[in-house]
């Protein structure tokens, strides 16, 4: 099954996928499996795990849901100190309904790791607005300015 068809299937029916990368460490490790469930954007709450489409499927924690210009926008970030970002409701695939490790043992999501900040700062709101305007004016998701502002905003978060 090609990637677009697989992403569409996950978005409409849900399913299991294997994780790669380390941005959600220690909750998700290389080879962990997550069950993705379809979700309506308005039902998402902060700290839920969401899966969205970027260059590849990404699983991050939802920081803030914003309704702007009749669309939902999501500020997200991995649990491991890393750069977060913004995605639109169009990019949303679903929420994480279940997690298992490599051996099939269930893992319980206990929320943010100790000491992590739970609220988005004013700089993140600025980034969301800049991201939306840039996308609507130039029709691109990222350029040098947005990469710089992204990295700058998340240093304070």
């Amino acid at each position: 099954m090609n990637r677009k068809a697989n992403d569409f299937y996950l978005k409409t029916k849900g399913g299991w996928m294997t994780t790669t990368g380390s941005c959600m460490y220690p909750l998700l490790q290389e080879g962990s499996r997550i069950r993705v469930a379809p979700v309506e954007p308005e039902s998402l709450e902060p700290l839920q795990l969401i899966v969205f489409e970027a260059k590849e499927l990404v699983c991050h924690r939802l920081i803030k849901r914003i309704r702007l210009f009749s669309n939902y926008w999501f500020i997200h970030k991995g649990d491991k100190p890393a750069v977060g970002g913004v995605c639109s409701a169009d990019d949303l695939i679903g929420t994480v309904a279940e997690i298992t490790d490599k051996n099939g043992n269930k893992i319980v999501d206990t929320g943010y790791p100790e000491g992590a900040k739970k609220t988005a700062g004013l700089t993140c709101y600025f980034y969301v607005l800049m991201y939306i305007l840039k996308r609507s004016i130039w029709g691109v998701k990222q350029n040098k300015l947005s990469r710089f502002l992204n990295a700058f905003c998340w240093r304070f978060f």
Side-chain angles (χ1 to χ4, degrees), residues 68-131:
L68 190 62
F69 303 129
S70 72
N71 196 7
Y72 283 103
W73 299 87
F74 307 104
I75 300 173
H76 59 82
K77 188 173 187 301
D79 284 352
K80 188 175 178 182
V83 173
V86 177
C87 71
S88 72
D90 297 334
D91 299 328
L92 182 67
I93 300 294
T95 186
V96 175
E98 189 176 344
I99 306 169
T100 62
D101 64 13
K102 293 186 234 188
N103 303 320
N105 302 317
K106 286 191 179 186
I107 298 173
V108 177
D109 178 19
T110 58
Y112 254 60
E114 195 62 36
K117 295 180 183 177
K118 296 182 182 177
T119 58
L122 186 58
T123 53
C124 295
Y125 283 104
F126 170 74
Y127 179 74
V128 170
L129 184 60
M130 190 269 319
Y131 174 88

Side-chain angles (χ1 to χ4, degrees), residues 18-140:
T18 303
T19 62
T20 59
S22 62
C23 61
M24 288 302 295
Y25 183 83
L27 178 65
L28 299 177
Q29 298 178 16
E30 191 81 26
S32 295
R33 293 187 39 83
I34 57 175
R35 185 169 60 86
V36 180
V39 66
E40 292 299 321
E42 58 272 0
S43 68
L44 288 172
E45 295 294 328
L47 304 183
Q48 275 186 284
L49 296 178
I50 59 172
V51 177
F52 58 93
E53 187 175 2
K55 290 181 181 175
E56 58 188 359
L57 291 183
V58 177
C59 177
H60 272 180
R61 197 168 296 280
L62 176 64
I63 303 300
K64 189 79 173 167
R65 181 188 70 209
I66 300 170
R67 185 166 174 86
L68 190 62
F69 303 129
S70 72
N71 196 7
Y72 283 103
W73 299 87
F74 307 104
I75 300 173
H76 59 82
K77 188 173 187 301
D79 284 352
K80 188 175 178 182
V83 173
V86 177
C87 71
S88 72
D90 297 334
D91 299 328
L92 182 67
I93 300 294
T95 186
V96 175
E98 189 176 344
I99 306 169
T100 62
D101 64 13
K102 293 186 234 188
N103 303 320
N105 302 317
K106 286 191 179 186
I107 298 173
V108 177
D109 178 19
T110 58
Y112 254 60
E114 195 62 36
K117 295 180 183 177
K118 296 182 182 177
T119 58
L122 186 58
T123 53
C124 295
Y125 283 104
F126 170 74
Y127 179 74
V128 170
L129 184 60
M130 190 269 319
Y131 174 88
I132 294 167
L133 290 174
K134 178 179 57 65
R135 225 174 137 179
S136 62
I137 294 170
W138 293 296
V140 294

